Amino acid sequence: MIARALLRFLQRTPLSTLMAVLGVALGVTSIVSVHLISATVAERLDELIPRQLAGFTHFLHRADLQADNYFDLRRRWRSGALPDVEGLSPLIDESLLVDTRQVRAIGVDLFSADIGVVEGAGSAAAEEWRWDGVWVDESLVDVVRLPVNGIIAAPPGTLVGDIGVVQDLLGWPSSRISYVGARFVSPWDDLRSLGEALLPGLDAGLPEVTPALSEAGWQIVSLARQHPASQFGKSVLFNISALGALALLVAWFLMYQVAVSWLRRLWPVFERLHVLGVSWRELGGYFAAAMLVLGVVAGGLGLAAGYLLAVQLYGIAIPQAEPEFSLDAWVVLKAAGSSVAVCLLGGAVAFNRARHGIPAERRLHAALILPLAALAGVAFDSSGLIGGFFSIAVLSVLTALAVVPLLNRLRLHSQRLAGPLLVRLSLRELFWYPREFSIALAGLSLAVATAIGVGLMIDSFRADFSRMLDRRLTYDVVVRGGDELAGIASELAATPDVSRLQRYQTVALRIEGAPFELIVTKVDAFEAARYGLSTPLAPDAALLSEQGARTLGRGPGDTLEVDGRELRVAGVFSSFGDLVPRVIVDRGSGLTGRLESLSINADDPARVLGAIRSLSSAAEVELQADLRRIALDTFDQTFAITAVLITIAMVVAGIGVYVAVTTLRLNRRSSTRLLHGLGIVRGESALMDLSLGLGLGAMAVVLALPLGLAFGWILCEVINPRAFGWTVALALSADALATPAFWGLVAAAVAGVLRFGRDEEGTHVART
Amino acid sequence: MEATLEVRGLCKHYADGDRLVEVLNHVSLDLAGGRSLAVTGPSGSGKSTLLNILAGILAADAGMVVLRTGEATVDLATLNDAERTRLRRRHIGYVYQFFNLVPTLTVWENTVLPARLNKRLDLDARAGELLDQFALSARRDTFPEVLSGGEQQRVAVARALVLQPPLLLADEPTGNLDATNSKHVADLLFSAAREQNVALVIATHSEEIAARADQRLHLNVDTPPLT
Ligand SMILES: Nc1ncnc2c1ncn2[C@@H]1O[C@H](COP(=O)(O)OP(=O)(O)OP(=O)(O)O)[C@@H](O)[C@H]1O
Ligand SMILES: [Mg+2]
């Protein structure tokens, strides 16, 4: 009977029910779409790591590694010296040229049963293998001259074979290997993979735990660090997932607000029922059941909307690929779970507060402990991305907790408020009924703060990025790839039109186990200036990209060993967008690589372009102006998803404000009647509503500004370095501060002025 | 002298489900400025309904309500809701039993509110005098929540008088007060009516107050429900 009464209650308040469902559904939409996109992208990112290496958690490197070192290690492992290691295997992982193709050759121990199982399309049964054969990805089928055992799914240019075969291919002695693959086990493994399934990209956000290796002389590099491109992508995913969760958090605030408003009307009924002998527990149970129904409905709606949004967003962010989304059990679980959790938790907190009030001393404890927690997340780099986002979450909670005390304090001074009486009257309501507003206000300020923080980060990033492009894009024409580069270069060198011709040789190598791209070119004063160096680069010096410096922990003045040569780090340059750390050396260093690109300055770039086209049809030619545009377009595409997610959070926050204002109207019925008696006209009551909305918006903005600045700073100085290895200098762009503030005010004003459904809200309150 | 308020054949019914409840049945009255009328009757007899119609908050089903302000003579029955609201705002003071004050406005702000709504900044001085007269000056800048019930009603009376309205309506203004405060507030109302030439309509359950009025209108609940 109580259940039926509750359902009837929901029916009779169709508008707030609708708002609640809509808000929670939007929150679910946000996380579902992010999940679908992330899962698809994560799958592609996984493909960047050849399957034969993906089975290892870490790689062990050592200078001048010999097979004997491996056997020693293996013996020690067998004798129990490395209890956390589940498997060890020698590996070869080198790049070589086959004809003119750059090939990544991976040698694995085909005997080790538990790792390196080669499978994929066309893979033959073991009896039919040829030990001297190889497995290649599709692009190499017609390139290699060795027998092909099968085709594997791997990045283009990947070849896998037995160690011996690959050693022969490289011309290496049988005693030489690249590194050792190891599988470390940790009690957290299951939890981490569960987390990854629930939140694709999560693993990249967790602090990296490097297992201790007691054996001397070995360097240990994690799978992620050895494959920075994949890790880079996953870090992006993690950031987006964190942002996607924002709308859900705001939806929780909304649900709480709705529950408060409902309970305010249901409470007299509940109290009467309690007097009649229904226990509070039972009443709470019925209320929870009503919330559960809402949660299920909202979850279903959010799941469907999330799918549609994912298709749209994917089209914006990655226009060149067709998405394949699967609504698997994880997504359904996530949608239903989060939506039900949001509804139940919001309802439960509201119910308990309605019954017991809010304990005051807890606030004080929180005010002491939370700032310390926020500081810890920022201060310790080892806390990873999670640490950074933890700080953001803690600061948000702190702001939410500050709302009520702040409003109470303002109330003490509200007597001095000036302006028209009706405006004063409405603004003061903010301070008079802080409980009705605090959560909605916190939700709105959180949404605005996030918009400010992300906006600041994007603007700062864009400024740094375009400054880097300004400095770096000093050539008119760039030619890449193709085997004819050498020919083109000598042809162009003889052209009077060409005022400068720069040759870049590239080679992939490992420095202290971490993969690097080495670039060899003539670094005279002109070229050095592109990397922020004022003098030509000495033959024994090197330039490190910011990521490289971070990976190796080196800075200007330190030394570095590259391919057996000792080099001094002359400078560190910014390298936004790089997937792999880079090191640049002068031609005089004696290091060499393959000629991969040419940069040209010419009096008439268009003519040079024509000349190159006539020399070769294969070479990729780009004009500087295009490069800049493409780079910035890509940049903006990357952040399109962000904008959509923030907008969703803002809308949910706006709904929260609307619900809060409606709740207030319930409290104010006697005031409303009184004002009507005094002859208030429609325009005046609209003015009052608008003042209330704007006042609320202004409060939210005031709270959001410091919070947003903190978010921006954390994103630039903490999240970016931890996720991508580069630092962004926080610049206070007026636009990033003003735009979210403006929309926050608009959302609040609209929520204040909206009238529909307001009368519905009061119809069943006992007539006075 | 012409009556400030003239009511003829006023009828009002409410629909309660599919039942019609006749509340006011051909009510007529005349009230001149400076005189008071007590409306009495059992609970549910339609006292508040009558006052609400006189204030233009509710529209009557039939009959006429003529109000003579200094400026014009109007029949409320011929006005629409917006016009009645404007009339009320300028020419009618209203005191309720409770919730008379806007909680987020100070005593002073509550008092001058009608003046401000009518853009009559010149009436600030009068508002100050009224507060003085009602012994409320010390409370000027406090918010209503800290006032006693008697003080709240006095502020409400002061507010109702700020505009020097021709008609003052009071719906059980002393219903929530003890005897002393009740008498004090009633004194203020009756003396204001006399001294400021206001027509006062006061709905009350109190025989004592009703006895002080110049005229009396008794309402009954005996009207049978019509279908
Ligand atoms: N909006 C309404 N809809 C339906 N019936 C109403 C409405 N307002 C009042 N009534 C009914 O009209 C009748 C008169 O109500 P009214 O409030 O005018 O009485 P009253 O004399 O002021 O009573 P009290 O002394 O208790 O204040 C009552 O029966 C009441 O239930
Ligand atoms: Mg009444």
Side-chain angles (χ1 to χ4, degrees), chain B residues 14 23 42-49 172 205:
Chain B
Y14 292 109
V23 179
S43 189
S45 57
K47 301 184 294 294
S48 299
T49 303
E172 296 180 44
H205 281 292

Side-chain angles (χ1 to χ4, degrees), chain A residues 382-644:
Chain A
S382 54
S383 64
L385 286 183
I386 285 267
F389 281 107
F390 172 74
S391 295
I392 287 184
V394 168
L395 288 178
S396 312
V397 172
L398 207 58
T399 307
L401 289 179
V403 171
V404 172
L406 184 71
L407 289 177
N408 281 335
R409 169 130 318 187
L410 285 172
R411 178 182 175 161
L412 297 179
H413 301 285
S414 69
Q415 205 176 308
R416 276 182 253 150
L417 212 61
L421 279 188
L422 293 181
V423 173
R424 259 185 254 181
L425 180 166
S426 305
L427 286 181
R428 284 195 191 126
E429 290 187 327
L430 269 177
F431 317 129
W432 249 255
Y433 309 106
R435 297 257 177 267
E436 266 68 36
F437 283 112
S438 62
I439 293 294
L441 193 56
L444 184 60
S445 41
L446 181 55
V448 173
T450 308
I452 289 177
V454 172
L456 281 176
M457 188 272 281
I458 294 178
D459 283 2
S460 311
F461 197 171
R462 206 171 196 283
D464 277 6
F465 188 63
S466 85
R467 206 172 308 128
M468 180 190 86
L469 290 179
D470 286 344
R471 187 178 263 175
R472 216 55 70 64
L473 294 178
T474 45
Y475 291 105
D476 299 319
V477 185
V478 175
V479 194
R480 257 189 264 273
D483 312 316
E484 300 117 324
L485 269 189
I488 295 173
S490 49
E491 220 28 78
L492 287 179
T495 316
D497 234 11
V498 172
S499 53
R500 185 180 169 93
L501 177 70
Q502 185 79 14
R503 295 173 172 84
Y504 296 97
Q505 297 178 348
T506 310
V507 66
L509 48 66
R510 272 183 295 274
I511 301 177
E512 295 172 12
F516 267 78
E517 189 177 53
L518 170 70
I519 291 156
V520 185
T521 188
K522 195 178 95 195
V523 191
D524 54 8
F526 179 90
E527 185 68 13
R530 296 181 62 218
Y531 302 98
L533 203 67
S534 49
T535 53
L537 194 64
D540 64 342
L543 287 164
L544 263 183
S545 70
E546 197 186 344
Q547 284 153 295
R550 220 180 135 83
T551 307
L552 300 173
R554 304 286 157 79
D558 294 341
T559 55
L560 181 72
E561 199 184 299
V562 178
D563 211 11
R565 254 179 222 85
E566 180 116 328
L567 299 171
R568 183 178 45 79
V569 178
V572 174
F573 59 92
S574 56
S575 53
F576 303 121
D578 276 11
L579 297 178
V580 182
R582 278 190 288 167
V583 56
I584 298 174
V585 297
D586 187 64
R587 279 223 300 239
S589 65
L591 291 160
T592 55
R594 193 170 102 96
L595 183 61
E596 284 203 340
S597 76
L598 300 173
S599 291
I600 299 145
N601 270 333
D603 304 330
D604 184 355
R607 197 154 66 204
V608 173
L609 198 72
I612 299 167
R613 289 260 153 79
S614 69
L615 285 167
S616 156
S617 54
E620 269 177 59
V621 191
E622 276 152 352
L623 284 174
Q624 194 237 90
D626 294 337
L627 277 176
R628 187 188 178 86
R629 187 179 45 76
I630 292 168
L632 289 176
D633 281 356
T634 311
F635 183 92
D636 292 339
Q637 263 170 23
T638 313
F639 289 109
I641 293 187
T642 323
V644 173

Side-chain angles (χ1 to χ4, degrees), chain A residues 266-278 280 283 766:
Chain A
L266 284 170
W267 211 247
V269 183
F270 279 8
E271 274 176 337
R272 229 169 296 149
L273 287 169
H274 183 62
V275 171
L276 290 178
V278 185
W280 281 118
L283 288 168

Side-chain angles (χ1 to χ4, degrees), chain A residues 72-129:
Chain A
D72 278 347
L73 190 68
R74 189 181 176 83
R75 218 170 297 125
R76 307 249 314 125
W77 171 50
R78 285 266 153 88
S79 69
L82 306 166
D84 296 340
V85 176
E86 209 181 55
L88 279 178
S89 188
L91 290 165
I92 295 182
D93 180 7
E94 301 294 331
S95 51
L96 78 159
L97 288 177
V98 175
D99 291 338
T100 57
R101 293 285 307 260
Q102 184 100 22
V103 170
R104 179 176 184 187
I106 299 171
V108 297
D109 181 5
L110 288 183
F111 282 113
S112 39
D114 52 345
I115 21 166
V117 184
V118 183
E119 39 178 289
S123 137
E127 314 81 71
E128 294 163 38
W129 287 354

